Amino acid sequence: MIQSANARQNDPVGGAIAALEGCTKRYPGVLALDNASFRVAPGEVRALLGKNGAGKSTLIRMLTGAEVPDSGTVSIDGVALSGSGSARAQEAFVRGVRVVYQELSLVPGMSIAENLFLGRWPRRAGILDYAGMEAEARDAMQRLGLDMPPSDPVAGLSPAERQLVEIARVLLGKPKLVILDEPTSSLAAAEAEKVMAAVKRIAADGIAVIYISHRMNEIRQIARSATVMRDGRIIDTVDVAGADTREIVRLMLGSEAAQAAAVETKARDKVVLDISGLALAPKLACVSFQLRQGEVLGIAGLLGAGRTELLQAIMGVRAYDSGTICVDGIDIRRPGYRAMLNRGFGYTPESRKEEGIVPLLGVDENTVATDFAAVSRRGILSARRIAEATRDVIARLHVKTAATDTPIGTLSGGNQQKVVIGRWVHAGSRVLLLDEPTRGVDVEAKAQIYAIIRQLAAEGRSVIFVSSEIEELPLVCDRVLVLREGRLMEEFTSPNIDQDAVMAACIAGH
């Protein structure tokens, strides 16, 4: 049973470092924020939950001054924001609002210190003050408990360290509110712990934190309360300690989430892919497994275990050192990307926005890019065939988009991911290598992607499903293999895929 924290929400604004009062925001055809009231106190870590399109981004843009409400007020440190445009955003910044977005904005070729002061480098007598810059950078890093030389280049940092550098950057200038948008979505559990430790340090300094995440385990560790949004409204604010996950999901979706049934395997005996002794230093030592027709095979493991490298080696994106890859019983020697495409393989990369889509192109262009021949006539692209092929994918994968030519970058993360998978459906691929296909998408979109994958398997396609979120593997996989220390160490088969046992196998020896 959820213990409501609305009483705290209904207190006077006094004492809150940031507050929205009765804010409404409309866009053409969309009510993005509906009479929303929200407050967060100094030193509080407040989780913000809701599926994509619930209004979280609009609420955050209100707090940062990037958007002006049609009605209602936004106050930072007791003073209402005024004006519009860049002046309003600057006012919020001066009053201490900082935000770290899901997509990192670091420049790999620059040092930690240079990235912390990016665009506002301090000068003395017209010359960049490197000494002062590194001293302030060192102080900011130490506030997070980090001991990294400010002169080190960002290119050499781990994903978790890069995320911490982003967080350290917002600590410059005495912030009062720090907003973190999915800060651990690209990190495995062990790496995420470092980020959560940093969040606790920030809150201990009296800084308010709004923490956006779909990972309930993390939220329970660091947040005192969670605000749930749906359809532009703030539905409730609950005390995390007394909140049941199913009840929170019900608040997010508006109805009881369907209980996921154990996967009923329909895999056939035919082996479509046989990997033997695959090695790729330093990540893979000796990997062997088989993939059958109609099977969804999960690959679990900690960040850096070599999961991505394994998929890339199979797809011909990365050269491996030794081992064999057999497709339909035929030994493929040193496969190239084009050769694997011709054999019916498709690959969705881990980083959707950087490698999976072309944001400014339409849904249609992103969909048919894997097979232009199917939408051409006498060697010339056919607008009619492109639109028809795209409509088929949109209907089949339930992609929410205004039109087939809508720029894909304007879609939610879940709908972008459906298109990324849909392009291989368009190409007729029979073996799909999916690297983190549900990263950064909400619970409803995840369930839809699971259903899509199971349907593809039922049609006889084979899928390798890589995920850092152990809890989703039993929901979609026929089998799960655990990759650790360069080898596949343990195997779990549905319906006996226990997430606790899988996690234990992943972290054994760590």
Side-chain angles (χ1 to χ4, degrees), residues 66 214 219:
H214 296 298
I219 290 170

Side-chain angles (χ1 to χ4, degrees), residues 387-402:
E388 288 176 352
T390 305
R391 281 194 292 268
D392 287 345
V393 169
I394 288 173
R396 183 171 180 182
L397 274 63
H398 307 289
V399 179
K400 293 183 180 179
T401 178

Side-chain angles (χ1 to χ4, degrees), residues 132-399:
M133 189 163 58
E134 291 192 359
E136 287 193 56
R138 187 175 291 105
D139 289 343
M141 300 297 284
Q142 287 176 348
R143 290 180 67 182
L144 298 181
L146 304 174
D147 185 19
M148 294 187 290
S151 58
D152 281 1
V154 164
L157 303 181
S158 70
E161 289 171 336
R162 294 189 186 199
Q163 184 69 69
L164 291 168
V165 169
E166 286 272 12
I167 295 174
R169 180 160 61 187
V170 302
L171 295 183
L172 299 173
K174 298 181 180 179
K176 296 178 180 178
L177 170 64
V178 171
I179 303 167
L180 301 176
D181 184 7
E182 295 280 4
T184 63
S185 65
S186 62
L187 306 178
E191 295 284 274
E193 290 288 346
K194 300 176 183 178
V195 174
M196 289 189 286
V199 173
K200 292 175 183 177
R201 283 176 174 265
I202 293 172
D205 285 343
I207 299 171
V209 178
I210 296 176
Y211 193 90
I212 302 173
S213 177
H214 296 298
R215 297 182 172 184
M216 282 304 301
N217 289 341
E218 293 179 5
I219 290 170
R220 292 188 187 282
Q221 291 182 53
I222 63 171
R224 184 178 69 186
S225 57
T227 294
V228 182
M229 299 190 68
R230 184 178 76 239
D231 299 329
R233 298 179 180 178
I234 292 180
I235 303 301
D236 202 354
T237 296
V238 302
D239 290 323
V240 170
D244 179 76
T245 299
R246 290 185 184 179
E247 284 292 303
I248 290 177
V249 171
R250 183 187 61 79
L251 292 175
M252 292 170 62
L253 300 182
S255 60
E256 289 288 350
Q259 181 68 29
V263 169
E264 182 179 345
T265 182
K266 297 181 179 179
R268 304 166 194 177
D269 293 334
K270 180 183 177 182
V271 175
V272 297
L273 178 66
D274 191 345
I275 305 296
S276 179
L278 195 69
L280 196 169
K283 296 292 187 180
L284 306 176
C286 184
V287 172
S288 301
F289 67 91
Q290 293 181 332
L291 176 68
R292 291 175 171 78
Q293 184 180 8
E295 180 180 33
V296 180
L297 177 63
I299 304 291
L302 297 181
L303 183 72
R307 300 165 306 171
T308 294
E309 288 79 3
L310 175 60
L311 296 191
Q312 291 177 340
I314 295 171
M315 195 64 198
V317 175
R318 186 185 293 246
Y320 54 90
D321 302 325
S322 60
T324 60
I325 296 178
C326 292
V327 178
D328 298 325
I330 300 173
D331 187 5
I332 309 299
R333 298 187 180 278
R334 303 299 173 188
Y337 183 74
R338 178 56 57 182
M340 297 308 285
L341 287 181
N342 293 338
R343 291 184 178 274
F345 280 63
Y347 169 61
T348 67
E350 179 180 13
S351 177
R352 178 179 65 246
K353 290 194 174 181
E354 293 179 4
E355 302 174 3
I357 64 171
V358 183
L360 297 180
L361 296 184
V363 172
D364 49 5
E365 294 165 299
N366 275 274
T367 298
V368 303
T370 48
D371 190 0
F372 285 129
V375 292
S376 299
R377 186 177 183 183
R378 297 176 183 175
I380 300 175
L381 288 172
S382 165
R384 178 182 61 80
R385 291 185 179 183
I386 290 174
E388 288 176 352
T390 305
R391 281 194 292 268
D392 287 345
V393 169
I394 288 173
R396 183 171 180 182
L397 274 63
H398 307 289
V399 179

